[in-house]
């Protein structure tokens, strides 16, 4: 049954300033009359029911989220049953595999536009429809900035992909296909068929890529109902979750439960622990650091290492494991992972979630019965699975995902008894992915198993937007010798579906004067995971000489902006380590409360 609100609760609704303001009848009439023109009645709009927005990310441009167009029907039914009125609206599309030059360029654009919608329209609360990678952080960032009651409804992963009896996971099969075609084992059509086999249904990536990671972390942060993240998109349970989410957001209005109540420092620490346990994407620190900055919580990459590095890998899911989204859901999803972390003492007891209970209360004892997919905490896949935060003369911060360090990589580069957990190699430097693709198979480069592949000019300013190109395959002549992984370093990102232990998100980037801009092919690079360092082995004097020459030449060159937004973002954006936020935006917090109702429009 719907909650019966008090008169005081009804008087606090933001939407009343539009639809029921006795002190300004003429403006009330203006706002009301156009909202009635498709059938809503005056009595409904002035009934004291909360207006609940549905931030609709589904569209033909965003196939990963397209089924939200249909899920919204069940959200509406839940909202109506709980006593609310649903206002569905579109927001700027973000599609990881469709947007050029990169979907990351649009995360901040979706954030900005959603802030304006939530603040400037008669909305009391909002359901955030998430799925594809950047849609989740963008919307949570906006909800945190405005700080009205908000809840996340994930769209869920696709069903498992299959090819010749083997699971094919989103993205992960792409890296395998690239190796096969480079070695001449498949042709172009077979390449496409192999990759397309990983996308058999509606939904986002079925691997533990950035989409599954960020939706899992939305649940771990407490922003969605328990069990929401992992339900596959086509399952009936996804429809039920949409209905329950619609019901719950109305209750949150009367409880005045807002993002600032949920997104606390303990909540972020819980999410970091979950990220390590699930083998989460290297994009997660960028996005969670951004959300934290917008809500006013201090969080940096040192926190990610300190809190998350020694958390074990529990989820056996590609790219760090074997299985895909269907098995993850059947094995218990986020609740089963959190239950293991509770048993380890790694989950804060107080951090509340959108259902009003703590993450601890929601998930205690919800252990998985499928120990092949979600491991027990005392029998993990790996004992330490978090990110390392590396520093040195190449950058101030860059992360390395340890859950995907393969046995071959570890044996080749990290098991020298005289220099354990460290390696040195000769740099092969590429300026952007076009340069890399043009030259990687050129025999004259004479790359070998001691080469370190470096790509630069691919950060937030240099690309622009920061591209997922740091995961670089070995040249074809090394692949044929069985050398499938070379160490990779870059000032851009890596797809969450990638299994490469690259050193990435390097900050500052080359375009803003980072040390990678000074690197030359043939330089010796030393990486020491024990010391958490990455350095080019040239003298300070030589680096100073190179920097002076670079500055005299006008700095590191990168492509000009192609659109107004590219230019605007380049002028405002921060480094990846700082969340790639728009620097002026982070001072705007809790604006529904601190800035009051916007001025009338007539």
């Amino acid at each position: 049954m719907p909650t019966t609100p008090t008169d005081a609760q009804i008087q606090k609704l933001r939407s009343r300033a539009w639809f029921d303001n006795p002190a300004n009848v003429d403006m009330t009439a203006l706002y009301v009359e156009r909202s009635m023109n498709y059938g809503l009645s005056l009595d409904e709009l002035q009934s004291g029911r909360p207006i609940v927005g549905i931030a609709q990310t589904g569209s033909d441009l965003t196939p990963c989220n397209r089924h939200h167009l249909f899920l919204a029907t069940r959200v509406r039914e839940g909202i109506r049953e709980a006593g609310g009125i649903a206002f569905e609206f579109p927001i700027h599309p973000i599609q990881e595999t469709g947007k050029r030059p990169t979907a990351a360029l649009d995360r901040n654009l979706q954030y900005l536009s959603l802030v304006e919608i939530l603040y400037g329209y008669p909305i009391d609360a909002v359901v955030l429809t998430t799925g594809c990678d950047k849609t989740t952080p963008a919307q949570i960032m906006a909800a945190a900035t405005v700080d009205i009651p908000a809840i996340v409804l994930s769209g869920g992963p696709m069903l498992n992909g299959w090819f010749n009896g083997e699971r094919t996971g989103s993205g992960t099969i792409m890296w395998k296909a690239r190796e096969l075609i480079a070695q001449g084992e498949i042709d172009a059509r077979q390449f496409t068929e192999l990759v397309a086999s990983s996308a058999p249904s509606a939904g986002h990536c079925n691997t533990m890529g950035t989409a599954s990671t960020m939706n899992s972390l939305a649940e771990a942060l407490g922003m969605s109902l328990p069990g929401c993240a992992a339900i596959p998109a086509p399952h009936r349970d996804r429809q039920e979750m949409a209905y329950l989410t619609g019901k719950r957001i109305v209750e949150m209005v009367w409880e005045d439960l807002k993002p600032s109540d949920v997104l606390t420092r303990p909540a972020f620490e819980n999410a970091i622990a979950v990220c390590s346990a699930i083998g989460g994407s290297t994009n997660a620190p960028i996005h969670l650091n951004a959300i934290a900055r917008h809500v006013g919580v201090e969080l940096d990459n040192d926190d990610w290492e300190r809190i998350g590095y020694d958390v074990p890998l529990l989820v056996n899911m590609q790219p760090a494991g074997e299985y895909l989204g269907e098995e993850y859901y059947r094995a218990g999803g986020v609740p089963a992972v959190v239950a293991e972390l509770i048993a380890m003492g790694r989950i804060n007891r107080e951090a509340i979630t959108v259902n009003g209970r703590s993450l601890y209360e929601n998930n205690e004892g919800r252990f998985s019965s499928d120990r092949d997919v979600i491991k027990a905490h005392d029998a993990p896949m790996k004992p330490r699975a978090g990110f390392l935060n590396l520093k040195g003369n190449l950058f101030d911060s860059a992360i390395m995902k340890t859950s995907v360090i393969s046995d071959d990589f570890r044996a080749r580069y990290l098991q020298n008894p005289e220099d354990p957990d460290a390696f040195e190699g000769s740099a092969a430097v590429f300026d952007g992915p076009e340069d890399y693709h043009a030259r990687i198979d050129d025999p004259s480069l004479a790359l070998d198993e001691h080469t370190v592949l470096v790509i630069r000019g691919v950060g937030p300013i240099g690309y622009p937007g920061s591209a997922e190109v740091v995961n670089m395959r070995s040249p074809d002549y090394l692949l044929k010798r069985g050398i499938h992984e070379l160490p990779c370093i870059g000032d851009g990102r890596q797809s969450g579906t990638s299994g490469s232990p690259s050193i990435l998100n390097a900050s500052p980037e080359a375009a803003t004067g980072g040390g990678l801009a000074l690197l030359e092919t043939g330089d010796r690079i030393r990486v020491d995971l024990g010391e958490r360092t990455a350095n080019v082995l040239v003298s300070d004097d030589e680096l100073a000489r190179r920097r002076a020459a670079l500055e005299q030449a006008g700095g590191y060159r990168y492509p000009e902006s192609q659109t107004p937004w590219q230019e605007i973002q380049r002028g405002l954006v921060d480094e990846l380590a700082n969340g790639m936020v728009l620097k002026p935006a982070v001072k705007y917090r809790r604006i529904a409360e601190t800035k009051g109702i916007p001025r009338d429009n007539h």
Side-chain angles (χ1 to χ4, degrees):
M1 295 294 292
T3 301
T4 302
T6 66
D7 288 342
Q9 288 173 316
I10 292 173
Q11 293 298 324
K12 288 179 63 177
L13 292 175
R14 295 182 77 248
S15 58
R16 286 179 61 83
W18 282 259
F19 294 148
D20 193 8
N21 183 4
N24 198 340
V25 175
D26 61 337
M27 288 308 304
T28 293
L30 183 67
Y31 296 133
V32 164
E33 60 92 11
R34 207 53 58 93
S35 295
M36 294 172 60
N37 75 349
Y38 68 94
L40 277 174
S41 69
L42 178 61
D43 287 343
E44 286 175 287
L45 292 172
Q46 295 187 341
S47 65
R49 294 169 177 261
I51 304 299
V52 178
I54 302 173
Q56 180 57 263
T57 58
S59 74
D60 290 347
L61 288 177
T62 313
C64 293
N65 291 32
R66 193 180 189 281
H67 55 296
H68 275 303
L69 295 171
F70 307 99
L71 289 175
T73 300
R74 291 294 280 152
V75 177
R76 283 177 171 272
E77 290 170 351
I79 291 169
R80 189 73 184 188
E81 179 163 328
I85 299 174
F87 274 32
E88 185 177 349
F89 55 86
I91 58 176
H92 183 82
I94 310 178
Q95 174 58 30
E96 195 65 32
T97 58
K99 175 61 193 286
R100 293 186 177 191
T102 169
L105 191 66
D106 285 11
R107 188 203 67 179
N108 289 337
L109 188 55
Q110 187 180 92
Y111 156 77
L112 283 178
S113 64
L114 185 54
V115 166
E116 292 301 314
I117 293 169
L118 297 182
Y119 182 61
Y121 282 89
I123 296 172
D124 298 305
V126 64
V127 175
L128 309 173
T129 63
T130 68
C132 189
D133 301 15
K134 313 302 183 296
T135 63
T136 305
Q139 292 175 78
I140 298 177
M141 288 158 57
T145 295
V146 181
D147 204 32
I148 60 174
I151 192 170
V152 167
L153 174 65
S154 301
M158 293 181 286
L159 299 177
N160 289 2
W162 293 90
F163 194 86
N164 291 338
E166 295 185 8
R167 290 177 184 83
T168 54
S170 310
T172 57
I173 195 60
M174 173 68 79
W175 321 129
K176 178 64 176 177
R178 284 175 174 170
E179 291 184 2
L180 292 174
I181 199 169
Q183 296 174 83
E185 296 184 21
I186 58 175
D187 60 25
R189 183 175 181 84
Q190 291 170 318
F191 184 103
T192 302
E193 290 173 345
L194 180 56
V195 172
S197 71
S198 68
S201 75
H204 61 65
C205 289
N206 50 27
T207 47
M208 189 55 74
T210 305
S212 286
T213 297
M214 290 310 302
N215 285 279
S216 292
L217 297 190
E219 184 175 332
L221 283 168
M223 287 297 294
S224 59
L225 293 177
C228 177
I231 305 169
H235 278 215
R236 62 160 297 279
D237 293 353
R238 178 56 65 193
Q239 297 275 346
E240 181 180 7
M241 182 59 71
Y243 169 74
L244 295 174
T245 298
K247 287 186 66 177
R248 178 56 191 159
I249 188 60
V250 178
E251 297 168 352
M252 290 172 64
V253 174
W254 304 130
E255 296 168 13
D256 198 26
L257 182 57
K258 303 183 295 295
S260 59
D261 301 313
V262 175
L263 297 172
T264 60
R265 171 71 186 203
F268 284 99
E269 294 188 0
N270 286 343
I272 290 173
V274 170
C275 188
S276 297
I278 64 177
S281 166
T282 49
N283 286 304
I286 302 168
H287 298 319
L288 256 67
N289 291 358
I291 295 169
R293 292 192 68 185
H294 283 294
V295 81
V297 171
E298 295 293 328
L299 192 72
D300 60 26
N301 286 347
D302 285 332
D303 291 318
W304 280 84
E305 179 180 319
R306 180 179 57 81
I307 297 164
Y309 172 58
D310 65 348
V311 173
L313 179 63
L314 303 179
V315 176
N316 184 6
M317 187 171 171
Q318 297 180 24
E322 175 184 1
Y323 294 107
L324 296 171
E326 288 187 62
E327 289 88 4
Y328 179 48
Y329 174 57
R330 287 198 296 266
V334 174
V337 175
V338 173
E340 295 296 335
L341 294 172
I342 288 172
M344 295 179 66
R346 301 302 294 258
I347 294 295
N348 180 278
R349 289 174 175 264
E350 307 302 325
I352 66 166
T353 73
V354 290
N355 72 355
R357 305 173 72 217
S358 71
L359 188 72
Y360 193 104
E361 291 173 300
N362 286 337
N363 300 302
E364 185 179 17
R366 296 182 64 175
F367 298 108
S368 176
S369 60
D370 188 339
R371 291 309 194 186
D372 195 29
V373 179
I374 298 180
K375 306 291 186 180
H377 67 274
D378 54 0
M381 294 178 66
K382 292 185 178 181
R384 291 180 296 277
F387 303 130
L388 294 177
N389 186 29
L390 306 180
K391 304 175 183 181
N393 61 12
L394 290 173
F395 37 72
D396 295 336
S397 175
I399 63 170
M400 184 177 191
K401 181 177 177 178
T402 63
S403 65
V404 292
I405 297 177
S406 67
D407 291 341
D408 180 70
F409 188 94
R410 186 172 296 279
R412 192 181 301 276
Y413 301 108
L414 301 174
Q415 291 187 342
N416 180 350
E418 298 179 1
D419 195 13
D421 289 327
F423 60 87
E424 293 184 12
S426 178
V429 182
F430 301 97
D431 289 293
E434 297 83 4
D435 184 27
Y436 160 74
H437 287 297
R439 296 195 293 129
I440 185 60
D441 294 326
D442 183 350
S444 67
L445 285 180
L447 307 184
D448 61 25
E449 60 268 35
H450 303 295
T451 298
V452 178
L453 302 178
V454 179
I455 191 166
R456 64 190 179 190
V458 292
I461 290 176
Y463 199 68
S466 181
E468 292 186 334
V469 295
V470 179
N471 178 25
M472 297 170 282
R473 67 165 174 82
S474 300
D476 52 10
Y477 51 87
L478 290 185
L479 289 172
K480 293 171 183 177
R481 287 175 45 197
I483 301 171
H484 292 268
E485 294 178 300
L486 291 178
C488 300
I489 298 176
D491 59 5
R493 299 176 300 111
Q494 177 170 293
S495 171
T497 65
S498 172
S500 168
S502 303
I503 298 168
L504 63 161
N505 304 355
S507 305
E509 61 177 302
T512 59
L516 290 181
L518 309 179
L519 196 63
E520 296 179 358
T521 293
D523 286 343
R524 295 288 293 176
I525 292 176
R526 175 174 173 80
V527 175
D528 190 325
L529 301 188
E531 296 294 328
R532 313 294 198 256
T533 57
N535 290 290
V536 56
L537 302 180
V538 300
S539 69
D540 292 343
D541 288 344
E542 172 60 13
L543 289 177
R545 184 196 66 77
R546 293 183 188 181
R547 184 170 296 281
L550 181 67
E551 291 173 354
Q552 186 175 8
Y556 182 83
R557 298 188 182 278
Y558 51 83
E560 66 179 11
S561 295
Q562 299 164 309
T563 66
W565 172 239
Q566 289 182 17
E567 180 176 347
I568 291 167
Q569 171 148 291
R570 274 174 157 162
L572 301 174
V573 74
D574 211 336
E575 301 285 348
L576 289 172
N578 297 328
M580 205 179 76
V581 297
L582 300 176
K583 288 181 279 191
V586 296
K587 66 176 179 286
Y588 292 90
R589 294 174 183 160
R590 300 169 175 80
I591 62 174
E593 175 186 354
T594 61
K595 303 297 183 182
I597 298 295
R599 299 170 72 180
D600 283 314
N601 58 30
H602 281 74

